Amino acid sequence: MGILEKISEIEKEIARTQKNKATEYHLGLLKAKLAKYRAQLLEPSKSSAAKGEGFDVMKSGDARVALIGFPSVGKSTFLSLMTSTASEAASYEFTTLTCIPGVIEYKGANIQLLDLPGIIEGAAQGKGRGRQVIAVARTADVVIMMLDATKGEVQRALLEKELESVGIRLNKSKPNIYFKPKKGGGISFNSTVTLTQCSEKLVQLILHEYKIFNAEVLFREDCSPDEFIDVIVGNRVYMPCLYVYNKIDQISMEEVDRLARRPHSVVISCGMKLNLDYLLEKLWEYLALTCIYTKKRGQRPDFTDAIILRKGASVEHVCHRIHRSLASQFKYALVWGTSTKYSPQRVGLTHMMEHEDVIQIVKK
């Protein structure tokens, strides 16, 4: 029996098992086995395949956004509208067969946008270049899931399932569980909150399935068995996702309103160029980038060339971005902007910068 058959057998058994107190250990074990088989499925095959056309694209710019969706939902049209790159678009499916990069220039930042080939059902098992598409998606900072507004909710559920099965968790935070395998001493289990979904026995069963018999486990929040398995496996990617519903010019206003009110959702029309500016605003928010402007002594700030950093960046990060030796020669910095109590404020390396702050660095 191959791995795919084993996975489908376990999925069928999980589907037909009733969820109650008596079956929670059985379900927990099944989920652990399922995660193990899926991990094996994603491992590259040992035999070296013939070298084909390169698929991944070198990371460039200040952030990376992956466009994921089924064939013919408008990904290539969207890329051509947002960037200067022309991606081939046609009315038939699978027009795009490889990864096409483009650059969105917005608020002084260069955001790399990747148009990935359409995903089909079963992509996680490697159907239709699905595995390569998903591998590229794992390297992105934000995923834009392009959906056809005329096709209801089925597309979103299928795509989420495909990404979930390969360890991409959308709009979720990392489970707050401390887990550390040890050399001996058995399994020590503790929790700082009341657990309703996991018990000590279930945790031990799952660990034994992974051949772990000595470990420290501390639950700091009420997590499910699935989230605990994610912590053990350790290769999960947690990333923000924007659900973009295209072709809203073909549905009713009531339906547009309903889709637009869903969490993490934006409605657009590539054909009629509707709502694209709002999508860019939301994308900037999800990428959590900040622009920092520099200033030389006795001169006006340079607003033409911003330094783009992640939210929560400190003065030290700014120094490293300007020159790697600057932090060692740093004396103090003067900062103007919303991160200071008064302008300018004299600050040290640990001061946290905010969007559109101006900085002047003074060396020793």
Side-chain angles (χ1 to χ4, degrees):
M1 191 189 258
I3 293 178
L4 284 176
E5 287 86 38
K6 286 177 182 172
I7 286 175
S8 77
E9 282 296 312
I10 293 172
E11 281 176 340
K12 282 174 193 166
E13 193 169 343
I14 289 174
R16 64 172 176 258
T17 305
Q18 285 188 339
K19 289 180 177 65
N20 55 42
K21 272 280 183 222
T23 60
E24 66 177 0
Y25 300 126
H26 179 59
L27 281 170
L29 265 178
L30 287 176
K31 284 173 180 171
K33 279 182 180 161
L34 190 60
K36 224 161 85 175
Y37 287 137
R38 278 182 177 156
Q40 284 175 25
L41 196 65
L42 290 174
E43 284 168 12
S45 56
K46 298 285 183 285
S47 60
S48 58
K51 284 194 165 46
E53 189 185 347
F55 193 85
D56 197 4
V57 173
M58 200 174 126
K59 207 165 186 174
S60 70
D62 303 299
R64 185 179 232 192
V65 177
L67 266 178
I68 278 187
F70 281 107
S72 288
V73 290
K75 298 188 296 298
S76 299
T77 314
F78 177 73
L79 181 88
S80 304
L81 280 174
M82 295 307 230
T83 70
S84 55
T85 309
S87 180
E88 195 184 337
S91 55
Y92 54 86
E93 296 193 343
F94 298 108
T95 320
T96 306
L97 294 172
T98 185
C99 180
I100 297 170
V103 176
I104 301 174
E105 290 173 5
Y106 187 67
K107 291 190 179 179
N110 290 332
I111 301 164
Q112 188 183 37
L113 183 67
L114 299 180
D115 177 19
L116 298 171
I119 284 184
I120 55 172
E121 209 177 334
Q125 279 86 45
K127 284 187 191 170
R129 300 204 89 169
R131 227 180 270 185
Q132 292 155 301
V133 172
I134 287 164
V136 175
R138 283 175 76 96
T139 65
D141 300 303
V142 169
V143 167
I144 289 184
M145 193 182 282
M146 280 291 249
L147 302 159
D148 191 331
T150 61
K151 291 190 178 168
E153 297 303 312
V154 64
Q155 284 194 342
R156 178 167 167 173
L158 284 170
L159 278 172
E160 281 176 342
K161 188 183 166 201
E162 291 296 332
L163 295 177
E164 280 273 326
S165 64
V166 292
I168 296 177
R169 304 286 179 259
L170 302 176
N171 297 326
K172 285 181 183 174
S173 54
K174 213 170 179 178
N176 196 351
I177 299 173
Y178 172 77
F179 169 70
K180 188 183 179 186
K182 296 187 299 185
K183 290 276 181 353
I187 291 167
S188 72
F189 175 84
N190 276 304
S191 67
T192 57
V193 292
T194 309
L195 299 181
T196 59
Q197 304 173 74
C198 262
S199 65
E200 187 171 354
K201 187 183 169 188
L202 183 54
V203 164
Q204 284 179 349
L205 280 170
I206 291 169
L207 286 172
H208 289 174
E209 180 61 37
Y210 279 92
K211 307 278 189 291
I212 298 169
F213 302 100
N214 303 292
E216 264 181 75
V217 180
L218 172 64
F219 275 70
R220 295 195 182 100
E221 63 179 353
D222 186 15
C223 293
S224 66
D226 292 320
E227 289 172 317
F228 179 57
I229 291 165
D230 286 351
V231 171
I232 299 170
V233 176
N235 65 349
R236 304 303 191 225
V237 180
Y238 298 85
M239 62 171 68
C241 172
L242 263 177
Y243 300 101
V244 177
Y245 291 91
N246 189 17
K247 306 182 186 177
I248 55 163
D249 49 312
Q250 297 173 24
I251 56 172
S252 66
M253 281 304 293
E254 291 77 22
E255 185 65 5
V256 171
D257 186 56
R258 189 185 68 79
L259 292 173
R261 289 178 190 278
R262 297 196 63 181
H264 313 293
S265 297
V266 178
V267 291
I268 64 162
S269 168
C270 290
M272 296 182 76
K273 299 181 183 171
L274 297 174
N275 215 23
L276 297 175
D277 48 352
Y278 175 68
L279 172 55
L280 275 179
E281 271 178 49
K282 289 296 280 184
L283 186 59
W284 180 264
E285 189 186 308
Y286 276 60
L287 285 167
L289 297 175
T290 50
C291 294
I292 312 293
Y293 300 107
T294 53
K295 176 187 177 307
K296 290 180 180 170
R297 185 181 285 178
Q299 293 182 19
R300 294 180 68 80
D302 180 9
F303 290 120
T304 57
D305 189 19
I307 295 172
I308 308 294
L309 293 164
R310 287 293 150 112
K311 211 168 252 182
S314 64
V315 172
E316 193 172 356
H317 290 111
V318 179
C319 291
H320 286 310
R321 182 57 74 88
I322 296 168
H323 195 277
R324 61 177 178 270
S325 67
L326 189 56
S328 57
Q329 302 168 351
F330 179 87
K331 189 177 181 186
Y332 66 87
L334 294 172
V335 176
W336 292 256
T338 52
S339 67
T340 58
K341 288 178 184 171
Y342 40 87
S343 291
Q345 185 174 329
R346 187 170 160 162
V347 298
L349 280 173
T350 55
H351 176 77
M352 289 297 171
M353 304 294 287
E354 285 182 14
H355 187 48
E356 294 186 338
D357 276 1
V358 174
I359 187 168
Q360 178 187 317
I361 293 167
V362 178
K363 296 199 279 190
K364 286 175 186 167

